[in-house]
Amino acid sequence: MTPLHVLHEPSPELRKVAAPVLDFAIVDAKTQELIDALALTMVEENGVGIAAPQVGASERIIIIETPSGVHAYINPEITSRSVRIVDSMEGCLSVPGVSGIVKRHSSVKVKAKNRLGEDVEVKANGLTAIIFQHEIDHLDGILFIDKATKLTKDVRSRL
Ligand code: ZN
């Protein structure tokens, strides 16, 4: 398997609202291959998260590096958000060489399916909470630069 090509802003693919994966399609070979290829691409690019639209697949699939390892989340939805907001310094594999500060919830609860098609619920804090918010934004065609203040040129491009 080879890593996929990561699209860069201003690709129109990055601005589409991605379609949900149908329950029965999660375990399809095609979806499983996409998940594996996304995870490989994330690792190759030194990322900590990646969303399917970043490789031109308009499907609601994200891969996140969490404290317990690299996991795929399919059709993720944020079901609750902390009141507390933090300033997050972010970059993005699709916006190379730029970083900026984004206001994010310090913790979130996320409901999704795992790659076996099972229901999962995750309570995420710290960096993991931020990665979830950043990657789920990708599924709605939103990039961190839409929300960021103080954009600067930077080498950090990890989400
Ligand atoms: Zn990103």
Side-chain angles (χ1 to χ4, degrees):
M1 186 180 295
T2 50
L4 302 169
H5 175 67
V6 176
L7 299 172
H8 290 172
E9 164 77 355
S11 166
E13 295 294 320
L14 294 169
R15 296 306 192 167
K16 288 183 184 168
V17 175
V21 182
L22 297 174
D23 281 353
F24 67 83
I26 294 173
V27 294
D28 277 1
K30 193 169 153 285
T31 306
Q32 295 291 314
E33 279 166 25
L34 175 59
I35 288 168
D36 288 335
L38 276 167
L40 176 68
T41 306
M42 182 188 84
V43 171
E44 288 281 321
E45 300 265 347
N46 290 317
V48 291
I50 194 167
Q54 292 182 272
V55 299
S58 194
E59 300 184 43
R60 300 187 81 82
I61 300 171
I62 59 175
I63 309 286
I64 292 189
E65 188 179 323
T66 73
S68 67
V70 173
H71 299 294
Y73 298 94
I74 295 118
N75 302 334
E77 280 175 54
I78 296 176
T79 54
S80 80
R81 296 166 174 82
S82 63
V83 173
R84 194 164 104 85
I85 301 288
V86 291
D87 281 342
S88 160
M89 176 63 90
E90 295 183 21
C92 180
L93 298 176
S94 294
V95 192
V98 177
S99 66
I101 293 172
V102 185
K103 301 269 184 214
R104 300 286 190 190
H105 297 277
S106 67
S107 64
V108 291
K109 260 191 212 159
V110 178
K111 183 181 92 164
K113 298 275 189 187
N114 66 16
R115 66 180 301 163
L116 304 175
E118 300 163 339
D119 290 313
V120 291
E121 192 172 38
V122 184
K123 173 110 173 61
N125 300 295
L127 180 60
T128 310
I130 285 166
I131 304 170
F132 267 112
Q133 292 168 80
H134 178 115
E135 302 309 335
I136 291 171
D137 274 353
H138 273 300
L139 303 181
D140 293 320
I142 297 165
L143 298 176
F144 86 97
I145 50 173
D146 304 344
K147 298 180 164 181
T149 54
K150 297 183 189 163
L151 282 172
T152 50
K153 281 195 186 292
D154 195 340
V155 293
R156 158 176 9 208
S157 308
R158 306 189 60 219
L159 306 179

